[in-house]
């Protein structure tokens, strides 16, 4: 019928107007502001909006790397001379002994025997494992986890310095462990009776100093005092001579007639 054709043509026209024309952006629904999707889609969108925001996972904890020469409970001493001297002297609390796998040299067998005498069974590690443990390849196949080296007290230093004929060195403000180790090595070589350092502004008795001393720090008498000027005054009261070194001095060390007992003070690097 004629009326139906007119209605059909109007419906087709409306559909054509809904189509996107060139130059227009978005669909007719977006331009008209009509809601997008059916009821199910709108329900899903509302549920998504109410969903709690997902928090980012915290990064995994990173295991702290220890400095070479340190363990979690003390120090790590490595090298044949320092380890052998430490085991023989018994001044450190030894926790573990690490030896390389494979055949051992005569000195490493001696270290193994000292460890067994102390009730410690050495742990065998490969050379790469010892490298990683020590942070260095200069371990010579052995390392020990141990406590710190405790120096002698001020009272012990005073008693030793006042002995007849005693010769002791005093290091004032020497903070390099390599220099400390070298002085200890020379003191032991030339027959000094001990070494005294102030508590502050001095190099620690560390594994680095022990290795620089060829292990002699483990057995050589070393002392620590709280107040160096006061300690020197106490030594003078006990008739101990105190002599200082000076690069600009007019008396050569080789011709110095040293009285005994004597404290020889070396200061500043």
């Amino acid at each position: 019928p004629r009326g139906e054709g007119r209605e059909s043509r109007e419906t087709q026209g409306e559909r054509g107007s809904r189509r996107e024309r060139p130059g227009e952006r978005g669909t007719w629904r977006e331009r008209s502001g009509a809601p997008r999707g059916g009821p199910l889609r709108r329900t899903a969108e509302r549920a998504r909006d109410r969903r709690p925001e997902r928090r980012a996972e915290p990064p995994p904890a990173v295991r702290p790397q220890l400095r070479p020469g340190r363990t979690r409970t003390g120090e790590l001493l490595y090298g044949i001379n320092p380890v052998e001297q430490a085991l023989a002297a018994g001044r450190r609390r030894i926790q573990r002994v690490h030896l390389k796998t494979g055949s051992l040299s005569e000195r490493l067998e001696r270290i193994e025997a000292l460890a067994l005498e102390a009730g410690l069974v050495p742990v065998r590690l490969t050379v790469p494992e010892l490298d990683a443990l020590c942070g260095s390849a200069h371990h010579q196949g052995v390392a020990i986890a141990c406590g710190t080296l405790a120096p002698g007290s001020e009272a012990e230093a005073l008693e030793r310095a006042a002995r007849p004929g005693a010769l002791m060195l005093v290091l004032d403000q020497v903070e390099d462990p390599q220099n400390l180790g070298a002085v200890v090595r020379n003191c032991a070589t030339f027959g000094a009776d001990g070494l005294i350092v102030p508590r502050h502004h001095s190099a620690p008795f560390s594994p680095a100093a022990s290795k620089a001393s060829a292990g002699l720090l483990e057995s050589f008498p070393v002392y620590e005092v709280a107040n160096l000027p006061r300690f020197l005054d106490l030594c003078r009261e006990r008739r101990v001579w105190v002599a200082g070194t000076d690069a600009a001095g007019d008396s050569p060390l080789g011709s110095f007639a040293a009285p005994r007992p004597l404290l020889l003070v070396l200061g500043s690097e």
Side-chain angles (χ1 to χ4, degrees):
R2 183 175 303 177
E4 294 179 357
R6 187 183 303 113
E7 182 180 356
S8 175
R9 287 193 298 271
E10 291 177 356
T11 304
Q12 292 176 359
E14 291 176 359
R15 290 177 181 173
S17 64
R18 293 175 184 176
R19 295 173 184 171
E20 184 176 352
R21 297 185 178 85
E24 292 181 345
R25 303 183 64 181
T27 64
W28 71 271
R29 188 180 295 276
E30 292 175 350
R31 292 194 303 273
S32 63
R36 298 179 58 184
L40 293 178
R41 183 171 181 177
R42 289 196 295 272
T43 302
E45 290 177 351
R46 287 195 295 268
R48 184 187 58 192
D49 295 339
R50 291 195 298 267
R51 188 184 308 165
E53 184 179 355
R54 186 176 181 181
R55 297 182 180 179
E57 294 293 333
V62 179
R63 186 176 182 180
Q65 298 295 322
L66 299 176
R67 292 180 299 158
R70 299 290 302 177
T71 67
R72 296 190 182 278
T73 57
E75 296 181 333
L76 190 70
L77 194 65
Y78 57 86
I80 290 178
N81 284 332
V83 170
E84 184 176 10
Q85 291 283 344
L87 287 170
R91 293 166 61 184
R92 292 182 186 261
R93 182 176 177 271
I94 311 298
Q95 300 161 357
R96 291 183 305 278
V97 178
H98 302 279
L99 282 172
K100 73 179 186 69
T101 55
S103 60
L104 302 178
S105 64
E106 182 179 349
R107 295 194 65 188
L108 288 179
E109 289 181 349
R110 162 73 174 160
I111 289 175
E112 184 179 29
L114 289 172
L116 293 174
E117 289 177 9
L120 299 167
V121 179
V123 178
R124 292 300 190 96
L125 299 177
T126 63
V127 171
E129 288 174 333
L130 278 172
D131 293 346
L133 177 67
C134 301
S136 170
H138 304 294
H139 47 73
Q140 299 177 303
V142 61
I144 58 174
C146 56
T148 57
L149 180 63
S153 65
E154 183 172 328
E156 294 170 336
L158 187 61
E159 187 273 332
R160 192 175 187 90
R163 291 179 183 177
L167 172 62
M168 299 184 68
L169 264 70
V170 178
L171 287 185
D172 185 18
Q173 296 187 5
V174 174
E175 302 182 14
D176 189 340
Q178 301 293 327
N179 290 340
L180 173 62
V183 170
V184 169
R185 187 175 67 245
N186 288 324
C187 285
T189 301
F190 291 104
D193 295 293
L195 177 70
I196 301 168
V197 299
R199 183 172 301 164
H200 304 290
H201 304 292
S202 293
F205 300 117
S206 63
S210 182
K211 194 166 181 63
S213 71
L216 293 172
L217 179 62
E218 303 300 320
S219 56
F220 188 74
V222 290
Y223 305 92
E224 188 179 79
V225 298
N227 189 311
L228 185 57
R230 184 187 64 185
F231 175 78
L232 295 179
D233 290 338
L234 292 174
C235 288
R236 292 189 187 96
E237 292 176 3
R238 295 199 176 196
R239 305 183 69 82
V240 177
W241 291 83
V242 178
T245 56
D246 187 355
D250 54 2
S251 178
L253 187 61
S255 61
F256 174 60
R260 298 292 182 94
L262 174 66
L263 286 180
L264 186 60
V265 182
L266 305 175
S268 182
E269 289 160 314

